[in-house]
Every structure is written in structure tokens, then in C-alpha cells.
Amino acid sequence: MIKFYSITRKVESRSIVEIEEKTSTIDIKSLLFQYLLVSTKKRLPDDFSFSVVKGKRWTDVIYMHEAASCKFYSQTLIDVLGLFIDLTDKCYPINIIEGAPCNYYMIYNLKEFPLYKDPNNVLSRYFEITTDYPSLFTIKDSNFCICTLEVKQAIEKMKISNVEFNEIYGLTKDECDALGLQLWKKNM
């Protein structure tokens, strides 16, 4: 079992900027989440833009209004992550109409690993890992950005704002089977 860390935002932070899509058509809103999972292979259309709807304080992690799992990352945080993984095809800048003090990025196209559930504990956090995991990856069909201890320490050293870490554990397929864990399926 290997300990990893899910990069999250601080829930109790106040006055943090929240953004929403500027386009308000139902079709775009219904399609939006197919572009906002970190495992998706699709980029948002180039003409897609966001505007600030709440908050005044810009931090290194901001999120979409009423969809807090959709996170966007500052240039500073992207620079730190870029020390550990080539982000050339893993992130792209989003268009915020006004007021952003720096570029913010959507992370996408991360390597993904399957999630396992403990049938006796619905809060269990395990996923199947192989020996060739990168420093930043995700869990299939989720919006988790998972990092190694080295990445976590670098983010903490740089005093990145509005970031917390939750522990999550990677197990081999044999370890998952030995513990009686079940492969999570999207419709469970």
C-alpha cells in the first residue's frame, strides 16, 4: 500500500473567487462536465469563457460556482506541478473575462487508475496502482488530482494558497483482491 494525496481546496475559505461559464445556453451547460474531469481527453472550446460571480480573493485554487469539485489552478501552482510532470498536454489556460491576476488552468488528460470500494466501509479510499505511476494522476471517472509525497511537499514549501490534501491509498490488484475490495463501477 502506498500513500498518496488528493489535492483539494480549503472548504472553510471565505471570499474565494468563484467563476461560472459565461455562456448560458442549456446545451453548453449540459456538456460542460464532460470537459471538466481531470481524466477527460477533451479541451474546452477556445471561445468558452468564464466570469467571476462570487468572492474577491484570488487564490491558487479557484472553483466553479455551485460545482466545487471543478477546480482551476493558478500559474504558480502549475509551475510547481511542472517540476514533476510534463504538463504540455495536461493543462491549458481558461479564459476569465476580467480581473484575474494571473492565468488559471484546467488540468485534464491525466493518467487514470480504477477506484476500489470496501463493501464494509463506504468511505474507503483505495485505488489500484501499478508500478509506473506518474507524480500527478487521477482516479477513473473522478475529479481527483492525486499526487505523490514529493509533490505535496513542494506545494507546501511554496505556500500555495487555498490547498489542502486528503490521504488516499494505492494498492496493487493483488492487495485489492486480498482485502476483498470491489472494483467501483460508475453506476454503483
Side-chain angles (χ1 to χ4, degrees):
M1 182 180 324
I2 304 171
K3 186 189 303 184
F4 293 96
Y5 302 89
S6 174
I7 301 171
T8 63
R9 65 175 179 88
K10 290 183 180 176
V11 176
E12 71 279 353
S13 294
R14 299 193 187 272
S15 294
I16 300 296
V17 165
E18 294 178 30
I19 59 176
E20 72 177 1
E21 67 279 1
K22 187 174 186 305
T23 309
S24 60
T25 64
I26 297 296
D27 293 329
I28 294 295
K29 284 186 177 184
S30 66
L31 295 174
L32 189 60
F33 289 98
Q34 73 177 317
Y35 296 105
L36 294 176
L37 288 179
V38 295
S39 61
T40 190
K41 307 300 181 222
K42 298 178 182 180
R43 290 176 59 139
L44 282 168
D46 290 338
D47 63 347
F48 204 82
S49 58
F50 295 89
S51 60
V52 175
V53 293
K54 186 176 177 184
K56 295 181 192 269
R57 191 162 55 107
W58 292 91
T59 60
D60 291 304
V61 177
I62 61 173
Y63 50 96
M64 188 145 58
H65 183 64
E66 298 182 358
S69 67
C70 297
K71 298 178 283 293
F72 305 97
Y73 304 89
S74 72
Q75 181 71 56
T76 303
L77 183 49
I78 292 297
D79 290 345
V80 172
L81 296 174
L83 298 173
F84 298 93
I85 186 170
D86 179 8
L87 293 172
T88 306
D89 68 341
K90 306 282 185 241
C91 73
Y92 57 90
I94 61 168
N95 182 20
I96 300 175
I97 300 298
E98 59 185 47
C102 65
N103 285 334
Y104 281 84
Y105 293 82
M106 173 65 204
I107 293 178
Y108 79 121
N109 196 30
L110 292 182
K111 183 173 183 172
E112 57 186 7
F113 293 96
L115 181 65
Y116 277 76
K117 290 286 191 178
D118 182 341
N120 302 315
N121 180 357
V122 294
L123 298 177
S124 64
R125 293 181 166 237
Y126 302 104
F127 60 94
E128 181 185 331
I129 194 78
T130 59
T131 56
D132 64 337
Y133 57 86
S135 297
L136 186 69
F137 54 91
T138 190
I139 295 171
K140 186 176 170 94
D141 297 323
S142 80
N143 221 9
F144 290 117
C145 271
I146 310 294
C147 68
T148 61
L149 175 62
E150 294 78 22
V151 174
K152 175 186 179 283
Q153 290 172 336
I155 289 170
E156 290 171 337
K157 182 178 180 182
M158 290 297 295
K159 298 183 180 177
I160 300 297
S161 60
N162 198 31
V163 173
E164 287 185 335
F165 299 94
N166 292 321
E167 293 179 359
I168 188 165
Y169 298 92
L171 302 144
T172 65
K173 172 88 169 89
D174 290 340
E175 289 173 320
C176 290
D177 292 343
L179 290 172
L181 302 177
Q182 299 172 345
L183 183 62
W184 181 83
K185 293 185 174 49
K186 196 172 186 178
N187 296 329
M188 285 178 78

